[in-house]
Amino acid sequence: MSNKLNITHPTLLLDVEKCRGNIDRLSTKMAREDVIFRPHFKTHQSREIGRWFRDYQIDKITVSSLRMALYFADDGWKDITVAFPVNLLEINIINDLAGRINLNLIAEDADVLVQLDHVLHHRVGIFLKMDTGTHRTGIDPADIATTDACVKAMAKSANLVWKGFLSHAGQTYLVRHDVEDMGVVYKNSLQGIIALKEHYHSQYPDIRISFGDTPGASIMDDFSHIDEMRPGNFVFYDMMQVQIGSCSIDEVAVAMICPVVASHPQRQECVIYGGGIHFSKDSILRDDSKATYGTVVPYSDGRWDSSQEQGYVRSLSQEHGVIKLLPDLIESIKPGQLVAVLPVHSCMTAQCIGSYLDHDGRRIDHFASTKYFLQ
Amino acid sequence: MSNKLNITHPTLLLDVEKCRGNIDRLSTKMAREDVIFRPHFKTHQSREIGRWFRDYQIDKITVSSLRMALYFADDGWKDITVAFPVNLLEINIINDLAGRINLNLIAEDADVLVQLDHVLHHRVGIFLKMDTGTHRTGIDPADIATTDACVKAMAKSANLVWKGFLSHAGQTYLVRHDVEDMGVVYKNSLQGIIALKEHYHSQYPDIRISFGDTPGASIMDDFSHIDEMRPGNFVFYDMMQVQIGSCSIDEVAVAMICPVVASHPQRQECVIYGGGIHFSKDSILRDDSKATYGTVVPYSDGRWDSSQEQGYVRSLSQEHGVIKLLPDLIESIKPGQLVAVLPVHSCMTAQCIGSYLDHDGRRIDHFASTKYFLQ
């Protein structure tokens, strides 16, 4: 086995060409559909990868925390939406950012908006977070009283500028390879917000609907009624997205390269150095209803080969991964070799590892290993 | 709400007194039982916390990776067992460490031992990893042929010194508050290894049985036949250990302090800034069969109060945690406040966050945010 990159421990390898292809494909599609494309940078969390988006005329981004916003603002991004309910305790970061970039925050509570207004020194955009069925956060679109209270709180404020409605259609993750099903999810998720936008239209003609998620952005063809899309995962994709049908396995742009450390022929299993601290513990169910934490493919000479599935990760503990191999492979995969694992959830995996290696052996930054995240 | 420590985002707070109490209790017990105590440092992964163990006469430690061994060797630890199948690709670290400390590795494959011997420049201790029923790694104790092949490979080597058998009794994590059940697990797990030790005794009178885990070390009173114990989690404990019966909730020594960012009275839920990237995604089942990712208790003035359960974390996404509150609490827990969450799995949570804050506002180091882990 050639080990061109001298990998000795779990290392997240990035295929730059696949990644740029993913960015190109979706930015072209969003431009064609005349939708504002505000990609979510919580997946890659990298300044260098962020800069690649500029080649595709992207100048608006989404992040998932105020400190992540700071990380990207300090690299020159001037228009950032923090798609997470506003955290009043981080008012110092809010005021710092609001003084130098176009900062959008999300809120769902009139009291929070009033409190925010009291401590804010600059103008910020506000999207109202709407719950379109996932019941994690957000206002029920049928709850006009709460929406009205929020709109009134903003109307009284000089610094809170209402930008529109924002929602995350988490239910798209339940769809499997079906454009029609995806369309139904979109229709059901959007109808309440569309009605609200019309309700407020005469008084607020400029408010927008910000929507979006990787499955919908990848699979759907009709984005009418949607002003802005915020997918993130598409930059790398992962095995969850392959299962949903958002991408092919060949479009997955990251793989964890892991040393094999033990072999158990009687169980057709091998053990890798690569566990929950490297992958996170997100899993999906395979067709045979068994949980998997990643798909194993061959690695050689600085590249993985996604055309040959060798097995899957059946369990993860802190540092160990147990791989169930396809029959007949146990004799060819031995301790001291490396395998590639296509992760189930690339956002979490990148967060765990905190950097990328490209095919040329160059390190690419990740927010999680900077002072912006570490305390 | 007083915010003495100025916490504004998810922060892992360490109660030093509880932590030292946990170290004191278990080191006293192991000394009384005449068992070598080689605590597993993969839970805290901190040089500073490691140094506290020296106050309790601990000079032998366990770690879960070679790079973690390097981290602690560079802080003065001279006797380290890496309780993970030897990774041949990290031979440079092995040779570096083996030249300056007592390094023990674990193996389960004669071929690996032969390969290791070829590239090793110094003596290392070898424990044979035995599978006592978890089927993750290790040799089946009934498989004398494999054990013999390993013993012969070591006998032929000048640098591989056989130290004995090592096992992790993962089944103890299935026990619930029952000393007798724990005794049965120990008896069943140990009997095969005890027979092997006797089998080799005449030729290798000094080989040892290294065993251990936090539930067993905490609950058991009989450690006959065990030469060495390697628990790790006890240094902090967590809600999984409370459920097993290894500790009381008052002995859990870490809590994640999280800002509340949204409130949903109709569902008796609030949303915290604190998700899978902070806690990891390990969960346990509550008595009502619902999954929980942590137990919520009040936080005030730099301290949490484990006597008052306020609710539990019912779901985690990348940055969000959704808390199901006990009835009547929804009006008192508002956005802008902080709550404390006792984690389900403290090892993984500490790894995610990469540092600790103590009650005096001092930062305590963690391997995960050093160059030893980051690439």
Side-chain angles (χ1 to χ4, degrees), chain B residues 337-350:
Chain B
Q337 295 185 357
L338 295 166
V339 293
V341 180
L342 302 173
V344 161
H345 191 176
S346 58
C347 316
M348 294 291 288
T349 301

Side-chain angles (χ1 to χ4, degrees), chain A residues 214-326:
Chain A
T214 285
S218 303
I219 294 173
M220 291 278 290
D221 279 322
D222 177 7
F223 298 91
S224 46
H225 302 296
I226 297 174
D227 301 298
E228 172 179 281
M229 286 287 285
R230 307 180 322 277
N233 181 280
F234 75 91
V235 68
F236 300 148
Y237 289 121
D238 51 32
M239 293 311 297
M240 196 183 291
Q241 299 292 344
V242 172
Q243 186 174 69
I244 292 166
S246 311
C247 64
S248 72
I249 194 169
D250 202 45
E251 288 163 341
V252 177
V254 287
M256 189 82 79
I257 313 304
C258 297
V260 177
V261 293
S263 175
H264 296 114
Q266 68 288 7
R267 298 197 289 270
Q268 300 281 312
E269 287 179 359
C270 67
V271 180
I272 55 171
Y273 177 16
I277 66 164
H278 307 104
F279 287 99
S280 92
K281 290 204 174 167
D282 279 318
S283 63
I284 51 176
L285 291 181
R286 289 160 43 88
D287 289 345
D288 59 7
S289 297
K290 288 183 176 139
T292 171
Y293 299 85
T295 296
V296 181
V297 299
Y299 170 79
S300 178
D301 211 20
R303 300 254 161 201
W304 70 88
D305 176 3
S306 56
S307 71
Q308 292 183 58
E309 183 175 336
Q310 297 185 305
Y312 66 96
V313 181
R314 77 154 173 83
S315 75
L316 290 175
S317 40
Q318 188 162 341
E319 312 260 2
H320 301 76
V322 179
I323 291 175
K324 183 67 82 178
L325 288 165
L326 295 186

